[in-house]
């Protein structure tokens, strides 16, 4: 499996790409890493697959990233802290307003994007094409779970290289999503077509509904219905869930840079990039 296929596994830590990374990545607790060039809060991410590798995940820092010396310092310090001999890559969490990194190494490349939008504003946008043919309704039980399982099985049959990465949510997890947010069934022309879910959360300096699942049955893919499905779902969300205005005003999610269809769908419903991770391969 190539490097890009390994990275696909992270695409739906927060849902969007219908690919779950529970079998593909594990993360250590974040630590404060001090160096002569500054400090960083970093964790260690292990990406699994046919060729497992370690990534130093920098969540916040006061380093001068125009300095290759600062990069070397944090790599060396984090490697000592985690008793790691050969990290394969390092990545930085960056605001959308920040310029891409240029450190004189292999160029940084996008790893993930965080795309977000104000729920009320998105609900006021014109309905996308296909909106009238898609119904999204909040689920109160898991009577559809066998159909959901088959949708994932079909995905695995059509993408065997990703079989070890594609993990459907358990019944218990979906029930917890119902308690924490909204789980919805998708109907296309009256036929069952998929699942969308989001939970109320605070992450990435955002407060709102974080997308955690989105899958459309194979028979309905490639027909431009993803945007209509996501917009229908957004129309279900209630920013004032607890009775106070704008308790959960934002819908957001993290999407892999190697998942252009999900990125395009999020942008078509009106969400915009607010942050990203940039990954640098280490020599």
């Amino acid at each position: 499996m190539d490097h890009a296929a390994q990275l696909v596994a992270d695409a739906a830590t927060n849902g969007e790409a219908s690919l779950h990374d529970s079998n593909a990545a594990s993360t250590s607790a974040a630590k404060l890493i001090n160096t002569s060039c500054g400090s960083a809060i970093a964790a260690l991410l292990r990406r699994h697959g046919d060729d497992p590798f370690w990534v130093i995940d920098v969540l916040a820092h006061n380093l001068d990233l125009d300095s290759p010396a600062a990069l070397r310092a944090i790599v060396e310090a984090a490697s000592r802290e985690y008793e790691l001999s050969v990290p394969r890559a390092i990545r930085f969490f960056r605001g959308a307003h920040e310029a891409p990194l240029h450190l004189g190494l292999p160029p940084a490349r996008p790893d993930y994007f965080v795309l977000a939008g104000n729920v009320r504003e998105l609900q006021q946008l014109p309905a996308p094409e296909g909106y009238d043919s898609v119904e999204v309704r909040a689920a109160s039980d898991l009577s559809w779970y066998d159909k959901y399982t088959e949708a994932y099985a079909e995905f695995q049959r059509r993408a065997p290289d990703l079989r070890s990465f594609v993990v459907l949510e358990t019944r218990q997890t979906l029930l917890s999503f119902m308690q924490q947010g909204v789980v919805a069934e998708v109907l296309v022309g009256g036929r069952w077509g998929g699942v969308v879910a989001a939970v109320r959360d605070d992450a990435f300096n955002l407060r709102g509904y974080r997308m955690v699942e989105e899958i459309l049955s194979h028979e309905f893919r490639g027909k431009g219905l993803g945007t209509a499905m996501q917009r229908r779902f957004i129309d279900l969300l209630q920013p004032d869930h607890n009775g106070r205005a704008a308790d959960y005003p934002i819908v957001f999610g993290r999407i892999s840079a190697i998942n252009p269809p999900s990125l395009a769908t999020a942008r078509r419903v009106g969400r915009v990039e607010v942050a990203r991770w940039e990954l640098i391969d280490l020599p």
Side-chain angles (χ1 to χ4, degrees):
M1 184 181 299
D2 64 18
H3 184 64
Q6 293 170 6
L7 294 182
V8 164
D10 274 343
T13 303
N14 293 329
E16 302 265 346
S18 305
L19 300 176
H20 195 291
D21 74 344
S22 61
N23 283 353
S26 53
T27 308
S28 70
K31 296 183 179 182
L32 176 65
I33 309 293
N34 293 307
T35 79
S36 59
C37 298
S39 301
I41 297 173
L44 192 62
L45 177 73
R46 180 170 176 79
R47 291 231 168 100
H48 303 312
D50 295 340
D51 183 21
F53 61 98
W54 292 102
V55 178
I56 298 169
D57 193 13
V58 178
L59 308 173
H61 64 88
N62 62 4
L63 303 167
D64 176 8
L65 292 184
D66 290 329
S67 167
L71 181 66
R72 286 194 299 271
I74 190 62
V75 169
E76 292 171 0
S79 297
R80 288 194 301 270
E81 181 68 31
Y82 287 108
E83 299 180 349
L84 180 65
S85 58
V86 186
R88 182 84 64 84
I90 186 170
R91 71 177 190 178
F92 293 87
F93 184 70
R94 310 271 287 168
H97 64 283
E98 297 182 89
L101 293 172
H102 298 285
L103 297 172
L105 292 164
R109 64 178 185 275
D111 193 19
Y112 295 104
F113 296 96
V114 178
L115 285 91
N118 179 280
V119 172
R120 290 296 188 217
E121 292 178 2
L122 297 181
Q123 291 171 342
Q124 297 303 312
L125 294 175
E129 184 178 354
Y131 185 86
D132 291 336
S133 63
V134 175
E135 179 184 356
V136 175
R137 63 190 185 193
S140 58
D141 58 39
L142 298 181
S143 58
W144 40 266
Y145 190 78
D146 288 345
K147 297 176 183 177
Y148 169 73
T149 300
E150 177 55 33
Y152 266 93
E154 182 64 22
F155 186 98
Q156 291 176 333
R157 284 193 289 270
R158 293 177 179 275
D161 287 348
L162 301 178
R163 179 176 294 275
S164 63
F165 298 110
V166 180
V167 182
L168 81 166
E169 303 292 0
T170 65
R171 292 177 183 270
Q172 182 177 358
T173 299
L174 289 169
L175 288 172
S176 72
F177 289 167
M178 287 183 186
Q179 295 173 346
Q180 300 169 42
V182 179
V183 176
E185 294 180 81
V186 178
L187 301 177
V188 181
R191 296 160 58 196
W192 193 90
V195 175
V196 192
V199 296
R200 292 180 289 275
D201 198 8
D202 294 271
F204 317 128
N205 296 317
L206 301 169
R207 179 178 174 83
Y209 288 90
R210 176 172 58 84
M211 300 290 291
V212 292
E213 177 62 295
E214 188 171 24
I215 186 166
L216 187 64
S217 295
H218 174 75
E219 61 186 301
F220 301 120
R221 293 179 192 157
K223 299 180 179 180
L225 297 176
T227 304
M229 176 177 71
Q230 191 169 132
R231 170 58 188 275
R232 279 285 192 185
F233 180 74
I234 290 171
D235 287 347
L236 288 179
L237 302 180
Q238 300 178 16
D240 55 349
H241 170 77
N242 286 334
R244 298 187 300 273
D247 269 350
Y248 298 95
I250 304 298
V251 59
F252 63 95
R254 185 177 74 165
I255 305 177
S256 170
I258 60 170
N259 188 1
S262 286
L263 288 168
T265 294
R267 288 170 174 143
R268 282 196 292 265
V269 299
R271 291 161 56 190
V272 298
E273 179 190 341
V274 296
R276 65 185 182 277
W277 280 261
E278 292 185 30
L279 187 140
I280 301 171
D281 291 310
L282 297 173

